[in-house]
Structures are given as structure tokens and as C-alpha cells.
Amino acid sequence: MASRGGASRRVPENDSTIAYVQADGLAVMKIVKHCHEESTTNMDIAQGALLGLVVENRLEITNCFPFPKQNDETMDEDEYQLAMMRRLRRVNVDHFHVGWYQSADVGNFLSLPLLESQFHYQTSIEESVVVIYDTQKSSRGFLTLKAYRLTPQAIEMYKEGEFTPEALLKLKVGYENLFTEVPFVIKNSALTNIMMSELAEMVPEEEGSKFLDLGTASVLEGQLRCLMDRVDELNQEAIKFNRYQQLVSRQQQDKHRYLQKRSQENAARAAKDEPPLPEEDITKLFRPHPVPPRLNPMIIAGQINTYSQAISQLCSQSLAKLYITQALQNAKETNANP
Amino acid sequence: MALNLHVRVHPVVLFQIVDAYERRNADSHRVIGTLLGNVDKGIVEVINCFCVPHKETVDQVEAELNYAMDVHDLNRRVNSNESIVGWWATGHEVTNHSSVIHEYYARECNNPVHVTLDTSLQGGRMGLKAYVCVSLGVPNGKQGCMFTSIPIDVTCYDPEVFGLQLCQKTIGAGGGRSRNVHPMLDLAQVSEAGSKMGVMLDQVLQYVEDVLSGKTQANNAVGRALLDLINSVPHMSNEQFSEMFNSNVKDLLMVITLSQLIKTQLQLNEKLTLLTSV
């Protein structure tokens, strides 16, 4: 029972995994509202908790609540969460904490804090997911909600805490299988559907037409700029790694030369019937250099990957829009010159 | 007080009310809660709400006001610009108990509004109404209060509109059964918007034909709007258009190539670094 997300090529799924995430319209609208308000007022990342329950092989999200911003010191964060959940339980809302959500600008959500939080969540609650809401894209008209889970290998790797290349090779963890994407589905109850039919009459018709906006150049510029920053970072990390490798190879050569000299000396002494030089500890002479951790470059690589996917998607839909306009223009031309 | 109040409700509030009604205790017929938002120049904008547990009997009503205050404080830590603007209830009429509850809310805020959402579906519709309480009576005699309705409509942030449109796809044909809906890929949405626009254009064309053949009365306002529509399409000669089109297409194709190249390079990089075991 493999999840239908695209990135799970080599991951074997165990029985307790989630096949898809089902969210109520209420949770979706609340996430949209909170992330939108945060992005318009103070450009912070909006975070919150997801509540719901696990039914067979799907994770149902029935409600959610936002977290206060980090710099508020009056109440402890855990206390706030507990207080909220207790209050919600009084009104019969599901109080099982199944995950958390975060807003992201143009999909740049992959970072060390995110990995850590998701790791803690998944170790305490088996089926938890992180839902990412893309503020930029949604304001242009494409509601983007994606659910992610850490793969079992990523959890293993995090548990060990070692990010050397050998450890990563052993666990077969690369930037592609850090996260798997879980299919996201929205479901509404019958009464909500009735309410929405009423709503459809009350919401003005013109407001939902941003899909066909041709002016995507500025968005594309922003995305490309973020991509370039990340590529620069990755470049720095690659330089660091190369430098380390050069140091290590030079050290190997030095060691080799030293050993050779030693054996030559010993041979010369044996020829002169003198006692050989005492063996010295190689490692004390040539202290091994610390291996740079590969976690950061891996995260950056994963981020660049998501960026490039998002950019290709954006370009393809802009192309589609351009071709539509071309068709219209051709129709206009043929009508003008009969 | 000011009777020319106008209430604007966000969709989140309505979703929340319906959800609270569905989760009510088995013995209650009504659910009530607090409305949060802000008031500005006669327009009350309701942005959020939460449910308050309460018990109603024939002659008595109890609501847990401490709970309401607690949740309001908790909420204020996240959204500091939302304040209490009134309260909501499900059901299709305003009862005697409502005035008691309204009095409490009048202590919390200035001139609270009362919103009802008719979840019992009287008359086949889920009516949304808003009221304020107006005191009436003789100044030195018995005073009472009356709920008068005020206009209410729905307003949304932009992303909320898109979220709403996506959720509305669950309204399946055939008995209103709930269907599942995936957040769609970009291209599918563009094609859908395109076909929607096609449908709207067909309607406009049909109207023009009808007017020309005399079937419908010509309406000046509509005619002027149509004129605006035609004039808003930018006039471009064929060469200008194909120039713009080609340069844009070339840019986009180049960006696509570059991003695919980056992806391939990343994969190579990954393999290479893992291969070099030191």
C-alpha cells in the first residue's frame, strides 16, 4: 500500500502508515485565513496545530488552531496548547493532536527547524503530518496545501544524529527521500454543502478570476531569486566539502610518506644491527579532520528541488495562458479580415 | 444606537457555526457562541468565532461565561486585533432566552450584533440573519428591547475565495452527497477557468443576439458595460502581438530548461558525494 505521492520511489511502507489525508472544509478555511492574515500583517511564518483522528488508513483533520507567535512570553507554549485543547474538548471537537501546519512563501519550507519539529512529532505520534500552505501561490489563485511525512530512513538518520557521508550512504538517505508527500483530500459534510450553496449566492462573482492573470513575470522573478540564493548556499557547502576532501587526501599522502620513511629507517637500522625506532601512534601525529555534516547540503538540495519543480509548474501554466491569448488574438484577426 | 450597521461575515465563521452545530450535545437543539472581529464606521466585520457551551431549558438558560472569557483570551494571543463584536446562535428565530444572552454580551462590547444561521433549514433554505437590540418603550415606564434585523452579507479575503471555490466542488450532483476533492494542479485550474470564461462569453453573446432580434429589451446599463468590456481588450497589431508572444514563450521555455537542468545536476551531485567515501 504505497502512498500515491511521487517521491516515494524506494520507500517500503509499513502497515501503520497513512495512505491519504482527509481534511474538513473548516480546517482548510481556518488555515487559509490564519496564514493569509499573518502574511499580510507581518510576514512571519504562521504555525498551528492540526486536530483530528486516524480512521483505517486515512488521517482525518477536523479542526485546527493557530499558535501564538514565538516572542510572546506571558504563557508557555505547551500550556497554551493544553488550554486550547481542553477548551475545544468541551465543545466536542476531536482533541487528538495529529500534526501541525505551517505557511511557506513559494514553497521554501524545508529547513532544519522543520525537520526537527516533524521528527519530534512523528516519534511521539506515529501518523502525524505537516501541512504546508503556500501563501504566494494561493494568493495568485492556486490553493496549495500539501501534506508531508518523514520517511522511515530519515527518522533513522535523525535518531542516530550522525550526518557523515558514510552514515548517509548506509541508510540510503538522499535529499529525495527525506519527505514523502501524502495525497490531500477535502471532504465536507452534507450540512456544510448546504451552507456553501447559500454562500455561493452571496459571494460576488467577479472575485474568483485571478487564474487567468497573465502578469506572472514578477512572481517568476521572485522565485528565481530565491533559487539563486539557495544554489549559492549549496555551492558554499560543496566548496567546504571539497576542501575537506583535499585535506584528507593530503593527510593520507603525508601518512603514507611517513610510514615509508619509517620502514626505510628501520631497514637501514636493521642493516646496521641497531634496534628499530619505537612505533608511534599514527593517529596522534596525524589527527583526523572532522567530517563536515552532510545534513545542511541535503536540506538545501531538497529545497532547490522543490523550487525547480514549482518553477516548472508556474512556467507551464503561464505558457498555457499565453497560448489561450494567442488563440483569442488569432480569432480576432480572422474576424477582422474576412 | 446606530441602526445603520452593516454586517460582513467571513466564510470561516459560517463553517465554524455549522461544525459546532453538528457536534452539539445530543440534548441541545441550539448552539451559541461568540463572534470576533472589528467595527469600523458602521461596518461590522466578523472574522472569527468560537462556540460556547450552554444549556437551555424552557424557562432558564445557562451559558459558561468563564469559558467564553478564557477562549477569548487565548484567541487574543494569536489575533490581537480581533475583539468581541457580538454573538451567534443556530435556529430560525430569536427566542426569549436570546435577550438574556444578549444582555450579557452587551456588557462585553458596545452594541453587540446577533447573527442567526438557520440550521434547521426552515423553508428549504439556510437563512443567515443579523440583528441588533434596540430599546423601546416609554422613558419612565416599562422598557423593553426588540431585535431588529440589519443587512448582512459575506466578504472574503482573496485566498478565502479560492479555498471556498475548491471546497464547493464537494457539492456533488445527485442528492448533495459529499465527494472528495483534491487540491488541483495548476494546469487543470487554468483550463477550468478558461472554460468558465467561455461559458460566460456564450451567455453574453446570447444576450446580445436576443436584443438584436428583439426578443429582450435593451438595457442601457448593460450596453455600457459591454462597451467597456470591448474597449478593455488592448488593441495590438499582429506583429506586436506575435513579438510579445514569442519573447514571453522563449523566456518561459528557457526557465523550464534551466530548472530541469538544476534538478539533474542535483541528482548527479548527490550520487557523486555519496560515492566518494573517505
Side-chain angles (χ1 to χ4, degrees), chain A residues 1 53 68 81-82 93 95 98 143 174 183 200 231 238 247 250-251 262 273 279 282-283 292 305 307 331:
Chain A
M1 172 183 77
L53 42 122
Q81 279 195 45
L82 282 175
V93 177
H95 54 274
V98 294
L143 186 72
V231 170
L247 279 176
R250 217 178 304 145
Q251 199 183 44
R262 264 302 164 100
D273 282 330
E279 285 296 321
I282 300 282
T283 45
N305 199 21
Y307 269 146

Side-chain angles (χ1 to χ4, degrees), chain A residues 54 60 69 76 135 164 200 228 279-280 284 296 308 310 319-320:
Chain A
V54 180
E60 287 196 13
K69 294 182 261 298
D76 192 20
T135 29
T164 58
M228 288 197 299
E279 285 296 321
E280 283 178 21
K284 266 199 266 172
N296 223 12
S308 27
L319 270 178

Side-chain angles (χ1 to χ4, degrees), chain A residues 26 36-37 80 87 90 92 137-138 142 175-176 184 186 188-189 191 193 198-199 210 245 248, chain B residues 22-23 25 64 67 70 77-78 125-126 157-159 162 170 178 181 183 186 189 267 270 276 278:
Chain A
L26 172 66
H36 177 76
E37 281 184 350
Y80 173 83
R87 302 278 177 288
R90 288 299 317 276
N92 301 333
K137 249 184 152 188
S138 303
F142 304 94
Y175 70 89
E176 282 175 345
F184 195 91
I186 301 181
N188 277 319
S189 66
L191 202 58
N193 284 341
E198 286 283 340
L199 213 53
K210 275 230 181 116
Q245 279 189 318
V248 169
Chain B
E22 287 178 347
R23 291 172 185 282
N25 292 325
E64 298 197 17
Y67 175 95
D70 277 341
R77 300 192 58 231
V78 188
R125 305 215 35 170
M126 189 185 277
Y157 299 130
D158 277 340
F162 306 129
T170 62
S178 348
V181 124
D186 297 0
Q189 281 181 327
Q267 294 200 345
E270 191 74 21
T276 58
V278 204

Side-chain angles (χ1 to χ4, degrees), chain A residues 51-53 62 85-86 88-89 92-98:
Chain A
L51 307 165
L53 42 122
T62 48
M85 305 219 312
R86 223 177 292 138
L88 288 174
R89 203 188 317 180
N92 301 333
V93 177
D94 300 322
H95 54 274
F96 187 38
H97 202 161
V98 294

